[in-house]
Amino acid sequence: MDAVDLSVRQVGRVLIRNRAGEVYLLRGRDPGEPERPAFWFTPGGKIDPGETAQEAAARELQEEVGIQIEPAALGTVIGTEDVTYRFNGVSYRQTGVFFALTHETPQLHTDGLNALEAQTIDTGRWWSLAEIQSSQETIYPEHLGQILKDLQP
């Protein structure tokens, strides 16, 4: 039986977009269930005590994709999520906020990952809106396509 984390995990995430409008996603696998298919997700992570969502998102950008920015550069929230999921044998409820950042050269920054992240994340790549909408792969958040559509001018 899965363990359950009864606290709500709060996160700050970033949609990194290039000038072509593509979004950079990381690919991960659940180390607790290696037979589960890989999934794609936006950079970001848990808001630590005393951090704002912008500070957490900026810290995670540095750790995961090597982008160093001031938290204020992320601007305002462009989307939210409220999900439940299972990862590494624990069920979570997560609420999150998303920020947008235009950047052309993110790349997986493995020396910034903690041990669990290093077991989980194996690559990253650019995705177009059309690819996200038509993909059979698992992409989080599930409503990423709608968030991206809402950002279009």
Side-chain angles (χ1 to χ4, degrees):
M1 182 159 171
D2 283 345
V4 177
D5 182 339
L6 297 176
S7 63
V8 175
R9 184 176 190 268
Q10 296 181 313
V11 300
R13 298 200 161 282
V14 182
L15 303 184
I16 304 169
R17 296 184 310 151
N18 61 20
R19 286 188 286 272
E22 297 168 317
V23 66
Y24 189 80
L25 300 178
L26 300 172
R27 184 175 67 187
R29 296 186 182 280
D30 187 337
E33 295 185 54
E35 70 283 355
R36 281 177 63 190
F39 51 91
W40 293 88
F41 62 100
T42 59
K46 187 173 189 259
I47 301 170
D48 288 338
E51 271 187 325
T52 66
Q54 285 176 318
E55 290 167 341
R59 174 180 48 77
E60 292 284 344
L61 275 176
Q62 171 68 36
E63 292 172 3
E64 295 177 350
V65 294
I67 297 172
Q68 189 168 0
I69 61 164
E70 290 297 319
L74 293 172
T76 60
V77 171
I78 56 139
T80 62
E81 72 175 347
D82 187 342
V83 297
T84 57
Y85 66 97
R86 187 180 76 250
F87 179 75
N88 204 25
V90 178
S91 293
Y92 296 92
R93 175 164 176 224
Q94 176 171 290
T95 62
V97 294
F98 292 88
F99 302 97
L101 178 71
T102 300
H103 198 279
E104 297 296 321
T105 58
Q107 59 185 10
L108 179 57
H109 193 69
T110 56
D111 57 340
L113 303 179
N114 67 33
L116 182 58
E117 290 168 334
Q119 291 177 338
T120 303
I121 303 169
D122 65 357
T123 193
R125 80 167 182 90
W126 292 105
W127 288 74
S128 70
L129 176 58
E131 287 175 312
I132 289 168
Q133 291 174 324
S134 65
S135 179
Q136 297 302 304
E137 295 194 59
T138 302
I139 300 174
Y140 297 117
E142 292 178 356
H143 65 293
L144 179 58
Q146 187 59 53
I147 294 173
L148 291 170
K149 281 176 64 176
D150 291 347
L151 286 175
Q152 292 181 343

